[in-house]
């Protein structure tokens, strides 16, 4: 069965520092996708970044990068130069082509201190 | 703005009642997914439709049902509501080939349901 684990319920980071949010996953499917979503206090789910299991390079989107370590089954999100607006819940998620669903981790609440 | 719309934004109702939540996917997206986010259960996948047909079921109760119409909008029907059904209900859409899910889903703003 597929599983996503986020072990950090909450984190506090100083503004402008880099931050790493941890995510480990478990699946027996050879092909899968890993995602990160941001949920601000307003409630909407915002797609941040995607990594395919066959992608050779780590995905990057602006200040977001995904540190994909396939052998360790980890897909950590790195936010460089954090900003106050980065304060939110962050969810790691996984899907596979034929699983027909997306599984979310329990989330990490990130708080950025000025 | 993800391009996915959901109505209503807020819904307050009483136990035992029935409600319908509506979702319009992004233009061109064939797949619609429904999720429930509650404090104790986290974000749970409920059901997926692809081009009008049910594609996958998750943790959806028998009191809940959904459908996707020819114009691709979808409705989630919740009946015999209980206090524990109070949650944020998200709809998401994507444009996977053949209904596969190996690409990102774009979420609507959600409908916050409160059952009193």
């Amino acid at each position: 069965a597929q599983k996503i684990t986020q072990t950090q319920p909450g984190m506090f980071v100083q503004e402008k520092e880099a931050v790493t949010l941890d995510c480990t996953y478990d699946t027996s499917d050879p092909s899968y996708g890993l995602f990160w979503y941001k949920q601000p206090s307003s409630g909407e789910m915002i797609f941040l970044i995607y990594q395919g299991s066959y992608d050779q390079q780590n995905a990057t989107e602006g200040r977001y990068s995904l540190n994909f370590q396939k052998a360790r089954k980890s897909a950590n999100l790195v936010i460089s130069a954090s900003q106050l607006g980065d304060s939110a819940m962050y969810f790691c998620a996984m899907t596979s082509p034929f699983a027909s669903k997306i599984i979310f981790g329990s989330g990490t609440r990130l708080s950025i201190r000025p | 703005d993800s391009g996915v719309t959901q109505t209503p934004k807020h819904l307050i109702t009483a136990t035992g009642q029935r409600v319908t939540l509506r979702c319009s996917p992004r233009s061109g997206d064939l797949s619609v997914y429904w999720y429930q986010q509650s404090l104790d259960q986290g974000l749970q996948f409920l059901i997926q439709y692809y081009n009008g047909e049910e594609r996958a079921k998750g943790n959806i109760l028998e009191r809940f049902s959904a459908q996707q119409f020819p114009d691709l909008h979808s409705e989630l029907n919740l009946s015999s509501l209980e206090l524990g059904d109070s949650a944020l209900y998200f709809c998401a859409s994507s444009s996977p080939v053949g209904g596969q899910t190996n690409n990102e889903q774009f979420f609507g703003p959600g409908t916050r349901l409160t059952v009193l």
Side-chain angles (χ1 to χ4, degrees):
Chain A
Q2 295 183 318
K3 187 178 178 181
I4 289 278
T5 302
Q6 294 180 255
T7 57
Q8 306 154 310
M11 288 184 70
F12 287 88
V13 173
Q14 205 68 32
E15 190 180 8
K16 300 181 184 176
E17 288 184 353
V19 56
T20 298
L21 305 182
D22 295 340
C23 173
T24 57
Y25 62 92
D26 191 19
T27 182
S28 56
D29 292 326
S31 175
Y32 50 90
L34 296 157
F35 307 83
W36 279 92
Y37 285 87
K38 172 184 178 181
Q39 187 177 38
S41 56
S42 53
E44 73 266 35
M45 294 286 285
I46 302 168
F47 166 75
L48 295 179
I49 198 167
Y50 166 79
Q51 178 85 41
S53 59
Y54 292 122
D55 293 342
Q56 295 296 315
Q57 292 187 323
N58 287 343
T60 60
E61 290 286 347
R63 294 186 300 112
Y64 304 107
S65 61
L66 198 152
N67 184 2
F68 181 47
Q69 298 188 39
K70 197 170 182 177
R72 294 185 177 184
K73 294 190 175 180
S74 73
N76 298 340
L77 176 71
V78 180
I79 306 174
S80 63
S82 57
Q83 303 171 356
L84 295 178
D86 294 333
S87 294
M89 279 289 283
Y90 288 80
F91 291 94
C92 179
M94 176 176 67
T95 189
S96 61
F98 303 103
S100 294
K101 63 179 179 181
I102 184 168
I103 298 172
F104 286 84
S106 55
T108 295
R109 183 170 296 281
L110 177 63
S111 299
I112 308 298
R113 292 188 177 122
Chain B
D1 186 351
S2 66
V4 179
T5 60
Q6 287 186 250
T7 56
K9 194 167 184 177
H10 300 279
L11 198 49
I12 301 174
T13 188
T15 54
Q17 295 297 306
R18 172 190 168 96
V19 297
T20 297
L21 313 183
R22 182 188 168 100
C23 168
S24 293
R26 290 188 318 160
S27 177
D29 283 357
L30 299 180
S31 269
V32 169
Y33 307 79
W34 285 98
Y35 295 89
Q36 179 194 57
Q37 186 179 31
S38 59
L39 287 175
D40 56 343
Q41 296 285 336
L43 199 56
Q44 299 279 327
F45 165 72
L46 295 179
I47 197 164
Q48 178 204 1
Y49 278 83
Y50 175 76
N51 204 20
E53 294 187 1
E54 182 184 304
R55 180 57 62 101
K57 262 187 175 180
N59 303 320
I60 188 166
L61 299 172
E62 286 190 10
R63 298 184 286 110
F64 297 179
S65 64
Q67 53 184 330
Q68 186 179 28
F69 295 86
D71 67 352
L72 300 179
H73 91 270
S74 178
E75 292 181 355
L76 178 67
N77 301 296
L78 315 176
S79 61
S80 303
L81 286 168
E82 302 175 359
L83 296 177
D85 298 327
S86 295
L88 188 55
Y89 290 85
F90 285 107
C91 165
S93 76
S94 68
S95 56
V97 174
Q100 297 178 18
T101 56
N102 228 20
N103 55 347
E104 64 266 30
Q105 298 177 14
F106 294 90
F107 281 71
T111 293
R112 186 168 294 281
L113 174 67
T114 302
V115 182
L116 301 177

